[in-house]
Amino acid sequence: MSNSSLLSPAVEDLAQHVAAGLSRTPKTLSSMYFYDDAGSRLFQRIMELPEYYPTRAEFAIFQEHGAAIARALSPSAGDEFALVELGAGDGAKTKLLLKELLRSGTAFTYAPVDISAGAMTGLVEALNQELPALHVAPVVSDYATALRELRTRPGSKAVLFLGSNIGNFGPAERLDFLRKLAAPLTPADRLLIGFDLQKDPRRIRAAYDDAQGVTAAFNLNLLTRINRELGADFDLAQWQHYTDYSPLNGAVRSFLVSTRAQQVHIDALDQTIDFAAWEVIHTENSYKFTLPQLDELAAAAGLRVVATFTDPAADFADLVLATQEN
């Protein structure tokens, strides 16, 4: 018998996900649950690590091409529009774009979306101080809810999905997500999506297994969250972080590895889970792409590439996309 009926809706969603994911073979948990407040803080640290190149590469794109990106996202008639960012985080890169839009006199509202209330509070406070003229309409929500709300948002819009978050989706999920993103858009609306590009496999793997162990702490925090919110008794000393990268399909895969045979009880599920020695929980995929693959992906999702921006080393690409006009 489950105790989940006593949980809040958000924790109930987590409980249902954990129950389903830990009953699979192999056991699986979604990376979307990494981002509680502690997980968001850890990810901020990851973005500052020497091994973690994606943030610096995309930042370089915004520094070099910010004005061109702002023009590509703004309505051609100069009308007011909403700049909606999914997974806003600390907004460091986006601030460069926001400054360009404010400098150009473009009328717009910035609507950052993030699942972490703590991260959103910090972002809004920082924007109020740094860009007091900016009109901010924050949304604390998951992506699915935000996509539904996009359908009802009036006027022109540009939707940002930065930081290679698109790489966390498997191929089928990725295509479905892009189609859902495209569905509420008019031909005048725009998407800006960040994609990590394929490169030296060793560099890619190191970015997800840093020497300081911050990425390991980020992965293990998922178990801490389940302990706290679902009353589980994961012993983190008996788990380790592991990641691999395949140049064949461009996938980084992250795992939590049970270092011994053990049982974990989850109070909210009234359930005990058995783990064999060296059994894994698959927690994340992070796919890397080639530019031809991105052209094919856009077309399959009913989108067209309006502009492509890369950093000097071609480590990363930000694509401006629009719906295919009939």
Side-chain angles (χ1 to χ4, degrees), residues 2-268:
S2 170
N3 298 318
S4 61
S5 60
L6 304 176
L7 304 175
S8 69
V11 179
E12 167 71 13
D13 287 344
L14 174 61
Q16 291 180 358
H17 176 77
V18 169
L22 296 186
S23 66
R24 295 193 182 106
T25 303
K27 295 179 172 67
T28 305
L29 294 172
S30 171
S31 59
M32 70 175 286
Y33 291 105
F34 282 155
Y35 297 94
D36 62 355
D37 289 345
S40 294
R41 288 192 296 271
L42 283 165
F43 190 68
Q44 296 303 314
R45 290 178 59 193
I46 287 172
M47 290 191 294
E48 297 169 358
L49 292 168
E51 297 96 332
Y52 196 76
Y53 63 83
T55 301
R56 289 188 298 276
E58 192 171 31
F59 196 84
I61 292 172
F62 276 68
Q63 284 182 309
E64 183 174 352
H65 303 291
I69 294 171
R71 288 193 298 270
L73 295 179
S74 302
S76 56
D79 297 331
E80 184 170 354
F81 75 105
L83 187 72
V84 181
E85 182 172 12
L86 303 180
D90 68 351
K93 291 165 289 193
T94 312
K95 288 173 189 174
L96 297 174
L97 177 61
L98 297 174
K99 289 174 183 176
E100 289 288 351
L101 289 167
L102 290 170
R103 189 179 298 121
S104 69
T106 304
F108 73 102
T109 297
Y110 176 50
V113 180
D114 202 283
I115 198 169
S116 168
M120 183 63 72
T121 299
L123 173 61
V124 173
E125 289 176 353
L127 289 172
N128 287 338
Q129 290 183 358
E130 296 176 44
L131 303 172
L134 180 66
H135 182 207
V136 185
V139 181
V140 177
S141 167
D142 58 30
Y143 294 157
T145 303
L147 287 176
R148 289 195 296 270
E149 291 177 351
L150 268 181
R151 290 183 172 278
T152 62
R153 184 176 288 275
S156 297
K157 60 188 75 71
V159 182
L160 312 184
F161 196 51
L162 306 178
S164 73
N165 288 320
I166 192 72
N168 294 141
F169 296 100
E173 294 174 303
R174 184 186 312 130
L175 183 57
D176 180 61
F177 179 77
L178 285 175
R179 285 172 173 165
K180 287 178 179 176
L181 265 182
L185 302 182
T186 71
D189 295 334
R190 295 292 182 264
L191 293 171
L192 179 66
I193 302 181
F195 296 89
D196 196 4
L197 300 178
Q198 293 184 16
K199 58 186 69 66
D200 182 345
R202 293 169 184 83
R203 280 188 66 208
I204 292 174
R205 188 183 180 283
Y208 294 84
D209 195 14
D210 64 279
Q212 297 178 48
V214 182
T215 312
F218 178 64
N219 202 6
L220 287 161
N221 181 64
L222 182 55
L223 302 185
T224 301
R225 179 178 185 178
I226 295 170
N227 283 350
R228 181 182 67 249
E229 297 188 21
L230 302 185
D233 58 1
F234 281 99
D235 178 359
L236 269 64
Q238 307 300 332
W239 291 85
Q240 64 182 25
H241 165 74
Y242 177 74
T243 189
D244 67 13
Y245 172 65
S246 170
L248 293 175
N249 63 2
V252 176
R253 298 182 302 168
S254 294
F255 303 91
L256 291 165
V257 185
S258 173
T259 60
R260 64 175 176 84
Q262 58 183 303
Q263 291 185 322
V264 175
H265 185 74
I266 304 175
D267 286 344

